[in-house]
Amino acid sequence: MSGGPDRHCYAGVEAGGTKFVCAVGSGPGDLRAVTEIPTRDPESTLGEVIRFFRSRRDSGQSFEALGMGSFGPLELNRDAAGYGSITTTPKPGWQNVELVDRLAGALGVPVALHTDVNAAAAGEATWGAARGLDHFLYVTLGTGVGVGAVVGGQILHGVHHPEMGHVPLPVSPDEPEGFVPVCPFHCACAEGLASGAAILARWGRRLDELPEEHPAWHLEAGYLADFLAGLTLTLQPQRIIVGGGVASEALLALVRDGTYNRLAGYRADLAQRGSMASFLVLPRLGQRAGVVGAIELARREVNRGQGAGGTRDAAPSA
Ligand code: ZN
């Protein structure tokens, strides 16, 4: 694919519920001036983001476009009136906050916006664990659960961006009595049952603070195996990358076993237990995956504007 590191420079923003990570650069080996801005109200947070990038440009680090991977939901239909906005987020003060026009107007460059998981997927496709793959999923297990899907080389997008973190899951018979799933919309969905917030609500601790014999590990792995087996059968990815603060090699080892058992040899290339090791993997870009992915969105936006996107790098904001 054409998306290797290049000498052009882009701005990237990973917009999260607790912090905005901003950087200027061209890829994971060339990240300059990475900064973290706490997520407060939209006015002060976006104001600080804009001041940061203006100061970078004033000190000689100019950039051709800005990419942003954001928490959502987002309006990403370029023909919609509210294009480029956060829409119905439960995060107080951030409903219907316009991002694209505001940043493009303040910084004078094209702005590409996508969901945080799709930005991370774009970064992993170009530089990470999904290089050379046409079909893969990027799953984030953090406070919430999100999934970015690339199918046929394109970021999957319907009328809205997919919300696979909210697909229903059967409640485990091993669920502790009295636990109430944490998703305010659906209760028994992947996010409600298997997110970092669900683990904290259920056990009062993070998963990595609990010993390996604690039932939290098998409960979490069971939910994720149900979830990932379902996504595998739905979208038939070549690989699933699992990132976010809850993900670890110890958890993935259990999830590989569970997913393998649920698929039960139905997919020929995953019919050997050992095949799961390269099917379910951690991200290769690590902690900077989000902001690196945002820089990749900016690069694609410039190529899109020049009509040089090619098939694999076609505009993510379909
Ligand atoms: Zn839900």
Side-chain angles (χ1 to χ4, degrees):
M1 65 194 291
S2 60
D6 56 41
R7 290 302 101 202
H8 298 273
C9 193
Y10 309 97
V13 181
E14 176 189 6
T18 56
K19 63 178 188 274
F20 278 45
V21 183
C22 305
V24 174
S26 62
D30 172 36
L31 276 187
R32 305 165 221 166
V34 183
T35 194
E36 297 188 355
I37 295 168
T39 308
R40 297 188 294 267
D41 62 285
E43 282 309 314
S44 43
T45 306
L46 293 174
E48 210 172 323
V49 168
I50 289 164
R51 281 194 297 280
F52 166 77
F53 285 116
R54 282 179 174 163
S55 77
R56 289 297 93 214
R57 190 158 54 195
D58 290 347
S59 58
Q61 291 176 337
S62 62
F63 42 86
E64 295 173 50
L66 181 143
M68 184 179 222
S70 177
F71 68 90
L74 306 170
E75 178 54 79
L76 296 177
N77 181 348
R78 289 181 189 257
D79 298 327
Y83 168 70
S85 301
I86 295 173
T87 59
T88 56
T89 180
K91 190 166 178 59
W94 285 84
Q95 294 89 5
N96 304 310
V97 169
E98 213 289 319
L99 297 171
V100 169
D101 283 352
R102 183 185 308 207
L103 292 167
L107 296 170
V109 293
V111 172
L113 174 70
H114 227 295
T115 59
D116 41 13
V117 279
N118 280 335
E124 290 290 332
T126 302
W127 294 293
R131 282 188 78 166
L133 301 184
D134 286 318
H135 321 285
F136 70 94
L137 307 179
Y138 182 94
V139 179
T140 186
L141 303 173
T143 307
V145 175
V147 185
V150 170
V151 178
Q154 303 285 330
I155 293 177
L156 191 68
H157 196 95
V159 175
H160 296 287
H161 54 80
E163 291 279 12
M164 287 173 260
H166 292 276
V167 300
L169 290 182
V171 176
S172 168
D174 298 330
E175 192 64 78
E177 197 154 336
F179 170 70
V180 178
V182 300
C183 177
F185 294 94
H186 318 112
C187 284
C189 65
E191 181 162 306
L193 293 165
S195 62
I199 294 169
L200 204 57
R202 187 185 289 118
W203 308 109
R205 298 278 186 90
R206 297 197 317 259
L207 192 62
D208 61 2
E209 295 173 326
L210 296 166
E212 63 182 16
E213 67 276 11
H214 192 284
W217 286 88
H218 276 278
L219 188 63
E220 177 70 9
Y223 281 135
L224 293 176
D226 282 345
F227 183 45
L228 298 185
L231 296 182
T232 299
L233 294 169
T234 306
L235 294 171
Q236 298 291 10
Q238 294 159 289
R239 180 167 294 158
I240 299 178
I241 303 167
V242 184
V246 178
S248 66
E249 192 50 49
L251 178 61
L252 277 200
L254 298 174
V255 177
R256 286 186 193 111
D257 255 5
T259 306
Y260 174 81
N261 291 336
R262 283 159 180 77
L263 292 175
Y266 190 67
R267 194 171 119 174
D269 62 317
L270 299 175
Q272 303 298 321
R273 196 173 284 275
S275 63
M276 300 304 290
S278 59
F279 183 64
L280 295 181
V281 302
L282 293 172
R284 205 170 287 165
L285 296 177
Q287 291 299 315
R288 294 300 182 208
V291 74
V292 167
I295 283 172
E296 171 61 7
L297 294 181
R299 191 188 68 80
R300 293 183 186 192
E301 182 70 14
V302 170
N303 286 351
R304 194 182 77 90
Q306 294 168 347
T311 50
R312 296 198 38 117
D313 289 347
S317 303

